Amino acid sequence: MILTIKQKQLQLPGSLAGLVAHFLALAFVVSAGCGVAMSAEAPKFVEKDGRWALLVDGEPFLILGGQVHNSSGWPSELPAIWKSLSDLHANTVEVPVYWEQIEPQEGKFNWDNVEALVKGAREHNVHVVLLWFGTWKNGNMHYVPQWVKTDPRRFPRVIRGDGEPIDVLSTSRANLDADKAAFVALMRHLKALDATEHSVLMVQVENESGIIGSPRDFSPKSEKEFAGQVPADMLAAAHKQPGTWRDVFRGDADELFQLYHQAKYLNEIAGAGKSEFDIPLYMNVWLSYPPAELPERRLPMPGIQYPSGGAVQRWVGLWRSLAPNIEAIAPDMYGDDAGFVREVLAAYHRPDNPLLIPEIAKTDSFARYDFLALGQGAIGIAPFGVDPRGWNILGDSTAAGHARMFALLASMSREVAKLNFEGKLKTSMEEVGRVQEELDFGEWQATVSHGYPQYDGRRPPGNKDAEGVALVAQLGLDEFLVTGGDASVIFHLAGRLPGMRMQILFAEEGTYENGTWKPVRLWNGDETDRGLQFHAQDPVVIRIRLGKF
């Protein structure tokens, strides 16, 4: 056999020639079947100058997601799910994996649901985020297998202060080992299923972990430990001096005792899972909401208003220190107050934590927060309950508002993710009483005005439901990408009025196709003279180049 390599001929013995030919043929088949995915790296989080990105096949990726209802992670529900995602203009689906379903008998696993989901996602050209419903789901143990539920001696539950057991597994070694074994099996199966395809972007470890019904475990073992000294790693994370839990943390002692053991629990599970398949792992959080029904209380009560031990706003830093294998701590957003939302985004948008919104209420009043979160560097957003089956936390509705927002972003989501990671993207969100905002791009400024009609020299009227949004990203020194809804954007030089010593060289309406900008038409005259005007019911994207004279 003669092989030609870089125009040189090599004469090989017959047996060696056959072996080489075999491996070359195998390499060709594998590379042809897998394409770029064979050489591309697995999804991962990356940080640069305090900004974060989720890299998918080596490039920043923006999750425009939809999370399904709790009981929708079954093959029978998938046809409705795919339709809902299409209506939402989503590129990612978030679906639960149930411990009770994958391990109905200890050590015996059933992967039917997981495989049907991943196969269907590939067929419908969407990515997947899997939600591990294991020890905790919303502060309870409702998704653990029956062989765990029916054996409380082996798998102990949390004991309340009055000695009563509750419907929550404790952080005992037996419970941890059982959950970890199942999670490891899941991650091992995902690697076999998806190591080269990269359909699965991330896995959520547990769901809103913590205790509902008690601030901590009051079992005899826990009581003995609680009376002892705070462990050194907890002292280091909290920057405290040695002492007992009550001495060191006073009124927060019960909650932080639970937090410590819970963080170690999740961290061990996540570490074991990552050793099988190294893709991003995150946790979601049931937030600490202002207790409107208890105005005399300064803070909500852990174990009652939210699951005790969770990574609520006050304790994000402790969780980052104690659970480094959890790569992102992500807030679930169900508070429709702009001030509260801004506080939450600020709490979780940290140099050591990617900002991800894995659940947000799907009602229209929450849709504007998609753009607010994006402007704060969010790598992904997903309204909850987008499929038609199931109970919704804020009542029945479609995700029409989110769908309008996603429609603006869908064709350019990769470009938006890259621009955001580079620090070149800003957004504006209308609020009651604030209908105009300046976005600062140095020499160029962008004035965003919400609501119509907008008359020369008058304050813009705003929108009835304060739903106006805008996105402006700088493509070059004098070039910008602009979109929005129920708002106008007008550019001007810093310190000058619009139109002074500047002009629009071109304003193109268009879209991105496979990373390439495709113009549709030029805007001018009434479409540009008083700013670029964007209406929520008619989503468009504009690429504009400015000039100075």
Side-chain angles (χ1 to χ4, degrees):
M1 177 181 179
I2 296 176
L3 297 179
T4 301
I5 301 176
K6 293 184 179 179
Q7 297 182 347
K8 293 184 179 180
Q9 291 186 333
L10 297 178
Q11 184 73 43
L12 299 176
S15 59
L16 182 57
L19 185 62
V20 171
H22 170 76
F23 279 109
L24 287 175
L26 179 61
F28 175 80
V29 171
V30 172
S31 62
C34 297
V36 176
M38 276 299 294
S39 59
E41 58 190 341
K44 66 178 182 179
F45 291 131
V46 292
E47 182 270 339
K48 179 176 66 176
D49 300 328
R51 299 184 298 273
W52 288 88
L54 172 66
L55 296 191
V56 179
D57 294 330
E59 297 292 335
F61 183 88
L62 174 63
I63 294 175
L64 300 176
Q67 184 171 147
V68 305
H69 287 102
N70 291 169
S71 298
S72 294
W74 296 86
S76 62
E77 307 302 307
L78 292 180
I81 288 172
W82 306 135
K83 182 182 184 307
S84 296
L85 290 175
S86 177
D87 293 343
L88 184 61
H89 305 281
N91 59 26
T92 304
V93 62
E94 297 181 0
V95 183
V97 176
Y98 315 112
W99 186 7
E100 63 181 345
Q101 184 271 326
I102 69 164
E103 194 180 12
Q105 296 179 321
E106 187 171 5
K108 296 181 179 180
F109 294 97
N110 180 337
W111 304 114
D112 290 350
N113 287 21
V114 172
E115 291 178 357
L117 170 65
V118 173
K119 180 177 181 291
R122 290 171 182 165
E123 292 172 350
H124 290 82
N125 197 31
V126 295
H127 287 278
V128 177
V129 173
L130 293 176
L131 318 176
W132 174 237
F133 284 12
T135 296
W136 290 285
K137 199 283 177 186
N138 294 21
N140 293 111
M141 56 176 282
H142 295 163
Y143 285 86
V144 305
Q146 290 188 41
W147 52 270
V148 174
K149 292 177 181 176
T150 56
D151 194 354
R153 182 178 296 276
R154 181 183 170 194
F155 303 108
R157 302 182 181 213
V158 169
I159 305 299
R160 290 191 323 209
D162 61 3
E164 286 294 312
I166 61 175
D167 197 19
V168 186
L169 288 182
S170 74
T171 55
S172 72
R173 172 48 61 180
N175 293 335
L176 171 55
D177 286 344
D179 188 317
K180 182 170 67 172
F183 189 73
V184 164
L186 170 64
M187 297 299 286
R188 183 182 300 130
H189 191 75
L190 289 179
K191 183 174 184 179
L193 190 65
D194 197 51
T196 60
E197 295 283 346
H198 307 160
S199 298
V200 181
L201 301 180
M202 300 186 292
V203 178
Q204 176 184 291
V205 185
E206 313 298 342
N207 187 91
E208 295 183 346
S209 65
I211 299 174
I212 286 293
S214 179
R216 67 171 174 90
D217 186 10
F218 289 86
S219 66
K221 182 178 181 297
S222 290
E223 283 289 81
K224 181 178 179 181
E225 188 173 346
F226 184 77
Q229 296 289 299
V230 176
D233 54 347
M234 182 63 172
L235 291 173
H239 307 290
K240 297 287 188 179
Q241 296 300 310
T244 67
W245 285 92
R246 189 66 71 194
D247 290 340
V248 173
F249 295 113
R250 301 185 181 277
D252 294 320
D254 289 336
E255 181 180 10
L256 293 184
F257 180 82
Q258 170 62 23
L259 182 153
Y260 175 77
H261 291 283
Q262 191 170 309
K264 304 287 277 189
Y265 193 108
L266 265 70
N267 189 61
E268 185 171 334
I269 289 172
K274 285 186 72 67
S275 68
E276 294 291 338
F277 189 25
D278 191 5
I279 60 173
L281 302 179
Y282 76 96
M283 62 177 289
N284 66 329
V285 182
W286 177 335
L287 293 173
S288 171
Y289 292 95
E293 72 280 8
L294 297 171
E296 72 281 2
R297 290 192 58 85
R298 197 168 57 87
L299 291 173
M301 295 177 64
I304 297 177
Q305 270 86 31
Y306 63 87
S308 184
V312 295
Q313 299 92 304
R314 296 177 68 197
W315 309 130
V316 181
L318 284 177
W319 266 93
R320 294 305 307 137
S321 296
L322 295 170
N325 292 324
I326 301 292
E327 296 168 86
I329 301 174
D332 292 345
M333 192 69 68
Y334 293 100
D336 188 14
D337 174 81
F340 174 77
V341 173
R342 288 184 183 276
E343 290 174 4
V344 169
L345 295 178
Y348 292 88
H349 180 207
R350 299 164 48 102
D352 62 355
N353 190 64
L355 180 60
L356 170 68
I357 312 298
E359 287 186 41
I360 187 169
K362 70 176 181 178
T363 49
D364 285 355
S365 63
F366 284 80
R368 61 194 181 132
Y369 297 128
D370 297 350
F371 269 48
L372 180 62
L374 191 59
Q376 297 298 314
I379 62 169
I381 305 145
F384 170 76
V386 297
D387 59 307
R389 297 282 296 274
W391 173 85
N392 194 282
I393 191 169
L394 293 181
D396 291 334
S397 71
T398 65
H402 291 287
R404 287 194 293 271
M405 299 300 172
F406 283 15
L408 293 171
L409 301 168
S411 71
M412 58 179 184
S413 61
R414 284 281 193 171
E415 288 71 28
V416 167
K418 183 181 179 188
L419 291 163
N420 214 359
F421 186 44
E422 294 172 349
K424 297 178 179 178
L425 181 148
K426 297 179 185 293
T427 63
S428 174
M429 184 194 79
E430 181 182 1
E431 295 183 48
V432 174
R434 193 175 85 170
V435 297
Q436 198 167 60
E437 184 176 5
E438 288 287 310
L439 301 182
D440 182 6
F441 291 92
E443 186 177 23
W444 291 106
Q445 306 287 299
T447 303
V448 180
S449 302
H450 298 287
Y452 296 105
Q454 296 181 8
Y455 298 109
D456 293 345
R458 297 187 191 178
R459 177 181 171 86
N463 296 289
K464 177 182 177 182
D465 297 318
E467 75 259 9
V469 294
L471 177 152
V472 182
Q474 190 163 20
L475 301 176
L477 188 63
D478 301 313
E479 193 165 333
F480 296 86
L481 193 68
V482 192
T483 190
D486 294 332
S488 73
V489 179
I490 189 166
F491 289 90
H492 62 95
L493 289 165
R496 296 183 181 272
L497 294 174
M500 293 183 61
R501 303 299 294 270
M502 58 83 62
Q503 60 187 332
I504 296 173
L505 299 181
F506 72 77
E508 293 178 336
E509 178 185 333
T511 186
Y512 279 94
E513 294 181 11
N514 299 319
T516 301
W517 175 254
K518 301 287 187 180
V520 173
R521 62 170 178 156
L522 287 173
W523 278 23
N524 221 319
D526 289 343
E527 281 68 49
T528 60
D529 289 350
R530 291 172 176 81
L532 308 175
Q533 299 184 30
F534 300 95
H535 299 273
Q537 301 299 330
D538 183 22
V540 295
V541 180
I542 300 297
R543 187 166 180 165
I544 186 170
R545 181 175 293 166
L546 307 170
K548 300 180 284 288
F549 61 87

